[in-house]
Amino acid sequence: MFPAIFVRQCVPVAFGVGNIIPLVKDKSKNLNDIDNYRPITLIPVISKIFEHVLLSLCEDQLVSDDVQFGFKRGLCCNEAIFALRTTVSHFTSARSTVYLAVLDIRKAFDSVHHDKLFDSIVATGVPDVIVSILRHWILRVNVRWGMRCSQFFAVFNGVRQGSVLSPAIFNVFINIFIVRLRQLNIGCHLRSMFIGCLLCADDMILICPSVKGLQHMLDVCVSIGDLISL
């Protein structure tokens, strides 16, 4: 079946079916508040297996910057925190100022614009056949609440929850923030290594020796957010 998918450049409809289960974030808060729920999507196992095949074929292209610590094997928040503390200690021990800004993109995974997402994937050199398959991979989901389920509806934005490919694809999509900030040549550096921003998935810390420089970095982040609809 997998070779047939490559020939036709589309996946079976069943590959795109998902069940959304809302989980309470904090039981002590208002259970009628929709923002107090985190939706978890369950997708078919066979579609995950196929995604592993796709990932093995394009893993070398789906590469993000070293200052992105999220969704990478062997890395987590601890490494990002270590890099942050090392940078701050380096500048303060040299009697230099260092300023930080912490950014969190609102509902980043659910609001990714698909056309702009695929443009970022194409730019990495991922084979056209894989891009075509992903473009035609429509997710149809329902919401399960207790023993009841809603009608199915199509999802046309965001990255697929529960997907094997989504973490790597999201990192590539959001990597434009790091690229543009590097080009400014403003943020903190340790020797020749740029450490002006640290990311863990969609959480970002900007680090700069001056307030004016930090403001410029923030302005650039805002313009990039507008550019890619985040």
Side-chain angles (χ1 to χ4, degrees), residues 108-112 114 117 139 157-161 166 169-170:
F109 301 102
D110 297 329
S111 59
V112 170
H114 278 185
L117 174 66
L139 182 63
N157 57 282
V159 292
R160 286 160 45 87
Q161 283 196 22
S166 288
I169 289 175
F170 181 80

Side-chain angles (χ1 to χ4, degrees), residues 43-62:
I43 61 177
V45 173
I46 191 169
S47 69
K48 289 188 177 183
I49 296 173
F50 182 62
E51 286 183 349
H52 274 293
V53 174
L54 295 181
L55 186 59
S56 69
L57 295 174
C58 61
E59 194 168 17
D60 291 341
Q61 285 78 37
L62 298 177

Side-chain angles (χ1 to χ4, degrees), residues 159-214:
V159 292
R160 286 160 45 87
Q161 283 196 22
S163 164
V164 175
L165 278 169
S166 288
I169 289 175
F170 181 80
N171 275 357
V172 165
F173 176 67
I174 207 170
N175 198 64
I176 185 174
F177 283 97
I178 307 173
V179 171
R180 296 289 177 84
L181 290 172
R182 276 187 178 276
Q183 291 171 349
L184 291 179
N185 199 31
I186 290 178
C188 288
H189 288 72
L190 293 180
R191 295 179 182 263
S192 61
M193 182 172 61
F194 174 73
I195 203 77
C197 67
L198 300 172
L199 280 81
C200 191
D202 62 326
D203 297 313
M204 184 188 314
I205 296 180
L206 305 181
I207 317 170
C208 190
S210 70
V211 174
K212 183 178 180 180
L214 183 64

Side-chain angles (χ1 to χ4, degrees), residues 111-119 135 137 155-160:
S111 59
V112 170
H113 192 287
H114 278 185
D115 287 339
K116 295 178 181 182
L117 174 66
F118 292 127
D119 287 344
R135 281 186 185 276
W137 196 329
V155 177
F156 295 107
N157 57 282
V159 292
R160 286 160 45 87

Side-chain angles (χ1 to χ4, degrees), residues 136-147:
H136 294 92
W137 196 329
I138 303 299
L139 182 63
R140 297 182 68 254
V141 300
N142 67 359
V143 178
R144 193 170 78 195
W145 183 263
M147 300 301 293

